[in-house]
Amino acid sequence: MPNHIQLKNFPGRGLEVNLFAVIPERFFSVLASPLKQDYAAILFRIYDQYQLTTFGMERDVVIDLIVDYIEQKDGFFEQALADEIWEESLDTPAGPRERAAFILRKLEATGWVVSEVYSNYVQYISLPDYAIKILDVLDKIRRHRQVEYQGYVYATYTLLHSEEADRQGNLALEKAYEQTEQLINGLKSLNHNIKRYIERVLAEKEPREILKIHFQDYMEEIIDRSYHRLKTSDNVSRYRPKIIARLNQWYNDAAWVDRTAGLEVQRERFPDLPTARQEIYRRIDYIRQAYIGLDDLLDEIDRRNARYANASFQQLKYILNSSKDVEGQLMEILKFLAGLRAQEGMRPDDLLPEELGRLFSLFTQGFLDRESLYTGREAARQHQPREVQELEEIDPERRRERLRSFRQQLERRMTREKINAWVMEKLAGRKEICARELGIEDVEEFIKLIYATAYGRSRQVGYRVHRDGRPRVSAAGGRFEFRDLRFERK
C-alpha cells in the first residue's frame, strides 16, 4: 500500500486522509497475534497509568508495569512469549525485565507507544493521539460502558439555550451537532445489541444458558443499564420540544445564520460565506430531523425488545417441550431431523432425503389469493342513524322523587369539608382526642373515622393524625375494631 496522503476537504469535517498515513501499517498486528489478549492487557495497563500523568511515563516505570504483568502469568504465557521472541529476534532473554523490554520495543515498533528523551536526559514513554483514541474506544467496549442518553440530550439543550449561544452560535451549534450524532449512534447501538441477544438466544440449546442470558446478561446490559433508563430517568423526549423550537428560530433567522457563518469563516473552517451558510443549515436540519424522527427509532427499539422476549420464550419452550400432544410430537420430529442433518453434514439449504421429504409440504407463501387462509378485514359498514324520537314528558312527582334522592346522595358523600367539620366538632375546643373517644356506634360513624384517617395528611384540614405505636381498640360492643389513633388540632 503506498504510504501517501490523500486529502479531501469536507465542510465542517476537516481533511480526510489515507488511514494508514496516520496509523502505522503494523499497528493492529499485536492485536492479531497469538498473544493478542496479553498485549491488549498490557496496553490497557499503560493506558490507565498514562491517564494519571501530565507529559509521559519514564521508561523504567513502563518496564515495571510489564514485568508485574509477566510475573502474574503462568508458564504457558512465558513459553509462548519466549517462542515469539526467538522467531522475531533469534534471542532468548532469561529475565522478566529483558522480556518486558522486548514487549515495549514491539509496541514502539508497531506505533502504539513513542519514546522521547527530555532535557533531563530521561527517556519517557507516551501514547500517540490515534492510540489514545483507539484505546479509549476499546476501553469502553471492554467495560460495557453504557450511553447516558439523557446526558446527550441535556447537553444539546444547554448548548442551544445558553447565554453565549447567540454570541458564539457557531460553537454551540457545532457541539450540539456532535452530541446529537452520539445520541443517535448510541440508540442505534442499543438496537443492534438487542438484535445480537436475539441471535444468541436462538443459537443456544441449553435451557440453563438461555435463562442465564435472559435473567443475567440481558437484564444487566440492556434492561438495567440502557432500556430502563431510556424509558424513565433518561427519557430523551423531555427537552425535545425546546430543542426543536430553538432550531426553528435559528433556521428562520437569516441575520443569525449570516453572523454565525462569518464566525466560521474567521476560524478558517470554510473558505467563504456561502459554503459556511450551507453547512450551518445542514447541521440545524440534521439535529432537527434527528429529534423529530426519534420516535421511529425508539419504537423500533421497543419492537425489538418485545421480539427478544418472545424469542427467548419460544426457544425455551421449544427445547423443554416434551409433551405427547401434536405440538410436542412435531417438536420431537423436527429435533430428530435437525440432528440427522447435522450428522450427515448437510447444509441448511440441502433438501431432506426423499422418503422424509414426502412427509412435509411446507413452502413460503409470498402473496394472497382466494385459497389463502388469511381472513381479510371486513369493510366498514355505513352507519344508519335512527330517527330521533320526541322525548316523553316526565311525571312531576317522579322528577321530585329523583331530585330528593339525588340530594340525599350528595348529603351522604364524605367530602373533605364534612369530615373536617366532624373531627373539629369532636375536638370541641380540645387540643387532641383519641379514636376511642369519638363515639363510634354505627357504620356511618365508622366510615367517617376511615375518611378522617385518610384526610389526615391533607393541608386543607385542621387536624393531623398520629398512628405510630397506637393500640387496637373496639367499639359498639365489639362490632368495630380499629387502631386508637390520636387526632391533634393543628
Side-chain angles (χ1 to χ4, degrees):
M1 178 180 297
N3 191 18
H4 64 278
I5 299 179
Q6 298 177 353
L7 300 181
K8 297 181 181 179
N9 193 0
F10 287 88
R13 296 179 180 269
L15 296 176
E16 180 178 317
V17 302
N18 187 319
L19 176 62
F20 289 98
V22 179
I23 298 177
E25 294 186 4
R26 297 179 54 223
F27 183 76
F28 296 102
S29 61
V30 295
L31 299 181
S33 68
L35 297 177
K36 54 182 177 293
Q37 294 184 358
D38 301 290
Y39 281 120
I42 293 172
L43 284 170
F44 284 130
R45 288 196 174 196
I46 297 175
Y47 173 72
D48 294 338
Q49 185 65 30
Y50 184 76
Q51 290 182 310
L52 303 177
T53 63
T54 304
F55 301 105
M57 299 174 291
E58 294 185 11
R59 182 181 179 87
D60 291 339
V61 174
V62 179
I63 292 293
D64 291 338
L65 286 176
I66 302 176
V67 168
D68 181 66
Y69 179 82
I70 293 175
E71 292 178 345
Q72 295 178 8
K73 298 297 291 185
D74 53 16
F76 176 79
F77 169 76
E78 293 183 1
Q79 183 60 44
L81 179 59
D83 294 342
E84 184 170 299
I85 295 174
W86 174 257
E87 291 179 2
E88 296 190 15
S89 62
L90 298 179
D91 191 11
T92 55
R97 294 192 67 84
E98 289 77 7
R99 297 183 180 184
F102 167 81
I103 294 177
L104 182 57
R105 289 195 301 272
K106 184 168 184 177
L107 295 178
E108 185 177 356
T110 53
W112 282 98
V113 299
V114 294
S115 62
E116 184 178 0
V117 179
Y118 287 2
S119 58
N120 57 358
Y121 303 104
V122 178
Q123 188 174 11
Y124 284 83
I125 300 296
S126 59
L127 296 174
D129 58 341
Y130 55 84
I132 294 175
K133 295 177 182 178
I134 293 176
L135 286 173
D136 180 65
V137 173
L138 297 178
D139 183 62
K140 291 178 180 178
I141 294 175
R142 68 162 180 156
R143 296 181 186 275
H144 296 285
R145 192 175 301 172
Q146 300 301 315
V147 176
E148 295 290 344
Y149 305 101
Q150 186 68 9
Y152 293 142
V153 180
Y154 178 74
T156 302
Y157 167 79
T158 304
L159 288 165
L160 298 181
H161 288 81
S162 64
E163 295 181 359
E164 294 294 321
D166 291 330
R167 290 198 316 107
Q168 299 288 337
N170 57 328
L171 298 179
L173 182 61
E174 179 182 352
K175 297 305 177 183
Y177 178 83
E178 294 175 359
Q179 295 293 322
T180 305
E181 277 189 324
Q182 295 183 47
L183 170 66
I184 299 301
N185 291 336
L187 292 175
K188 289 180 180 179
S189 297
L190 175 60
N191 191 33
H192 176 75
N193 287 340
I194 298 176
K195 176 179 179 293
R196 179 167 55 86
Y197 271 97
I198 294 176
E199 296 173 351
R200 283 184 59 186
V201 165
L202 295 179
E204 286 293 341
K205 305 301 180 184
E206 294 294 331
R208 179 179 59 185
E209 294 299 323
I210 295 177
L211 294 175
K212 178 180 178 296
I213 292 174
H214 184 79
F215 290 103
Q216 181 175 333
D217 300 345
Y218 188 79
M219 291 296 294
E220 291 180 359
E221 182 176 348
I222 302 298
I223 298 298
D224 294 341
R225 296 182 181 178
S226 299
Y227 190 78
H228 179 69
R229 293 182 182 180
L230 185 62
K231 293 299 181 181
T232 54
S233 62
D234 282 0
N235 193 304
V236 295
S237 299
R238 182 177 179 182
Y239 298 100
R240 176 166 55 178
K242 296 180 180 179
I243 291 175
I244 295 176
R246 174 51 64 93
L247 292 171
N248 289 336
Q249 176 187 347
W250 285 355
Y251 195 90
N252 296 318
D253 190 349
W256 181 91
V257 173
D258 290 340
R259 185 169 61 253
T260 305
L263 293 174
E264 288 289 86
V265 174
Q266 291 179 11
R267 293 175 61 197
E268 299 182 355
R269 300 293 304 277
F270 300 95
D272 50 44
L273 283 176
T275 306
R277 192 182 298 111
Q278 180 183 1
E279 177 62 17
I280 289 171
Y281 280 123
R282 187 190 72 83
R283 290 178 180 176
I284 294 177
D285 191 61
Y286 173 82
I287 301 174
R288 185 172 56 181
Q289 293 302 323
Y291 278 93
I292 291 176
L294 205 58
D295 288 335
D296 294 336
L297 183 54
L298 296 177
D299 290 342
E300 175 60 24
I301 292 174
D302 289 340
R303 286 191 294 268
R304 186 156 290 185
N305 180 64
R307 285 200 296 269
Y308 166 79
N310 182 66
S312 61
F313 171 75
Q314 293 295 338
Q315 182 72 357
L316 193 62
K317 180 181 177 182
Y318 163 73
I319 295 175
L320 296 179
N321 193 342
S322 59
S323 60
K324 299 303 180 183
D325 56 6
V326 175
E327 182 179 0
Q329 294 180 22
L330 286 175
M331 289 291 185
E332 293 297 327
I333 294 174
L334 292 175
K335 290 179 183 178
F336 170 77
L337 293 177
L340 184 63
R341 295 172 69 93
Q343 291 177 2
E344 297 183 359
M346 301 176 64
R347 297 191 304 272
D349 54 348
D350 290 341
L351 298 176
L352 289 172
E354 183 178 358
E355 60 274 11
L356 295 176
R358 292 195 299 267
L359 297 176
F360 303 95
S361 181
L362 301 178
F363 59 94
T364 300
Q365 181 70 36
F367 60 93
L368 302 178
D369 59 12
R370 295 182 179 180
E371 303 299 326
S372 173
L373 300 178
Y374 172 74
T375 302
R377 297 181 178 180
E378 296 183 358
R381 298 180 180 178
Q382 187 68 24
H383 175 66
Q384 298 294 338
R386 296 181 180 180
E387 184 179 355
V388 177
Q389 302 294 332
E390 186 177 355
L391 297 178
E392 298 180 359
E393 289 291 335
I394 299 178
D395 181 56
E397 182 62 28
R398 183 181 178 188
R399 181 192 296 271
R400 286 191 293 271
E401 180 64 27
R402 294 294 297 273
L403 290 175
R404 185 165 50 252
S405 174
F406 180 68
R407 291 193 186 97
Q408 292 176 355
Q409 292 179 9
L410 292 178
E411 292 175 358
R412 288 196 297 269
R413 289 184 59 188
M414 300 295 181
T415 63
R416 184 183 291 106
E417 292 75 12
K418 289 183 180 180
I419 297 300
N420 182 59
W422 179 72
V423 175
M424 301 307 292
E425 179 184 357
K426 295 293 183 179
L427 284 170
R430 298 172 56 180
K431 178 62 178 176
E432 62 181 28
I433 189 174
C434 295
R436 67 176 183 276
E437 302 177 83
L438 295 177
I440 306 300
E441 298 295 337
D442 54 25
V443 175
E444 184 176 356
E445 296 287 326
F446 183 63
I447 294 176
K448 288 182 179 179
L449 174 61
I450 296 175
Y451 275 93
T453 305
Y455 290 143
R457 297 181 178 179
S458 175
R459 297 181 179 179
Q460 301 179 12
V461 297
Y463 64 91
R464 60 175 59 92
V465 181
H466 298 279
R467 301 174 174 82
D468 298 338
R470 308 297 298 177
R472 301 189 68 85
V473 296
S474 59
R479 291 177 57 197
F480 308 109
E481 182 177 343
F482 47 86
R483 193 174 297 278
D484 191 20
L485 304 174
R486 181 164 58 89
F487 296 84
E488 180 185 10
R489 185 189 299 270
K490 291 183 178 179

